[in-house]
Amino acid sequence: MTFTELLGNVGWFGGAVMFCLAVLSLFSAGMIVEKHRRFRAASQQSEMFKSEFKKFMHGGEISELIDAARQHQNSHVAQVVAAGIHEYDGVRQSGGDPVASLELVTSALRDSMSETLIQLKRGLAFLATIGSTAPFIGLFGTVVGIINAFRSIAATGSGGMSVVSGGIAEALVSTALGIFVAIPAVVAFNHFTGKIETFHVEMNRASTQLVNCLFKIPETKIPELKVSGVRVSDVNVPEVVHATR
């Protein structure tokens, strides 16, 4: 039986199942291509932005970091860093105390990270849905094909292969098509989920580095004293807290 003859023996219900699976396959392929391009651009631009971020960490200017973040808008790291540095720079330019803006900067970093993760995860739920439901849709087509095979037996009064082959072929094709649609969707979903976890770690690391760079804790200094006639110069020592009994 050729493929054309097989399609000719497919009932309208089985054809609807196959059409639904074909549409899901197209949507899945389009989503996989789009997410692959998005994640590849994010990885490449983040690597380029990290070099500029390192320059800022070693004494670079805030304006240069803002310009670099503007040039790498697809970078997840640049989006998070830009949110924090804009908040810090806004407080500084308004005449406020930049050191007192720690909570504002931390909140801006956290909100930007959440928004970036939402953007990165967009569409993954659709892939997961396709991967989990496509086999069951194919199984539904399988049941319909078997039903058609039995209906053919009832209509002809015989159970030869020529009678049931159309329904059985319809059932097997539906099953195979459902699995064919589900496998790429599941593989892509797991791959992209792993990439998002990596991106999340990178954003967390960049946020911590930015906060540590902007809000350095000054060392405690002891004023110059004379102890038993000996002059003690200023030294940097940590504060010691004595517990009261």
Side-chain angles (χ1 to χ4, degrees), residues 111-132:
D111 293 343
S112 178
M113 191 182 307
S114 299
E115 181 64 27
T116 303
L117 286 175
I118 290 175
Q119 294 176 2
L120 292 172
K121 291 180 179 179
R122 187 170 298 158
L124 291 186
F126 183 67
L127 280 180
T129 301
I130 292 177
S132 60

Side-chain angles (χ1 to χ4, degrees), residues 64-139:
E64 295 178 356
L65 184 62
I66 293 176
D67 292 338
R70 191 178 295 113
Q71 295 173 4
H72 302 88
Q73 296 183 359
N74 290 329
S75 168
H76 51 282
V77 177
Q79 292 177 9
V80 173
V81 171
I85 204 66
H86 276 299
E87 188 69 32
Y88 178 84
D89 192 50
V91 173
R92 189 187 63 169
Q93 292 185 0
S94 63
D97 184 8
V99 178
S101 64
L102 173 60
E103 185 175 352
L104 295 175
V105 172
T106 304
S107 177
L109 291 171
R110 183 170 57 250
D111 293 343
S112 178
M113 191 182 307
S114 299
E115 181 64 27
T116 303
L117 286 175
I118 290 175
Q119 294 176 2
L120 292 172
K121 291 180 179 179
R122 187 170 298 158
L124 291 186
F126 183 67
L127 280 180
T129 301
I130 292 177
S132 60
T133 58
F136 293 102
I137 296 176
L139 182 61

Side-chain angles (χ1 to χ4, degrees), residues 11-191:
W12 67 270
F13 207 91
V17 171
M18 293 183 184
F19 178 77
C20 179
L21 289 172
V23 172
L24 289 179
S25 177
L26 293 177
F27 275 109
S28 176
M31 182 61 65
I32 290 172
V33 172
E34 190 274 332
K35 299 303 289 185
H36 174 71
R37 291 179 177 176
R38 173 71 176 88
F39 283 18
R40 184 177 61 180
S43 298
Q44 292 176 350
Q45 292 197 16
S46 293
E47 289 300 321
M48 292 186 289
F49 176 76
K50 285 177 183 179
S51 61
E52 299 295 331
F53 186 51
K54 289 180 181 179
K55 292 180 183 178
F56 172 78
M57 297 285 292
H58 292 85
E61 296 293 332
I62 291 181
S63 59
E64 295 178 356
L65 184 62
I66 293 176
D67 292 338
R70 191 178 295 113
Q71 295 173 4
H72 302 88
Q73 296 183 359
N74 290 329
S75 168
H76 51 282
V77 177
Q79 292 177 9
V80 173
V81 171
I85 204 66
H86 276 299
E87 188 69 32
Y88 178 84
D89 192 50
V91 173
R92 189 187 63 169
Q93 292 185 0
S94 63
D97 184 8
V99 178
S101 64
L102 173 60
E103 185 175 352
L104 295 175
V105 172
T106 304
S107 177
L109 291 171
R110 183 170 57 250
D111 293 343
S112 178
M113 191 182 307
S114 299
E115 181 64 27
T116 303
L117 286 175
I118 290 175
Q119 294 176 2
L120 292 172
K121 291 180 179 179
R122 187 170 298 158
L124 291 186
F126 183 67
L127 280 180
T129 301
I130 292 177
S132 60
T133 58
F136 293 102
I137 296 176
L139 182 61
F140 187 58
T142 302
V143 174
V144 172
I146 297 299
I147 292 174
N148 290 336
F150 279 104
R151 291 178 63 182
S152 298
I153 294 175
T156 59
S158 62
M161 288 299 299
S162 60
V163 177
V164 300
S165 59
I168 294 177
E170 177 184 341
L172 294 178
V173 169
S174 298
T175 303
L177 188 57
I179 296 174
F180 175 77
V181 174
I183 289 177
V186 172
V187 172
F189 174 80
N190 292 333
H191 172 70

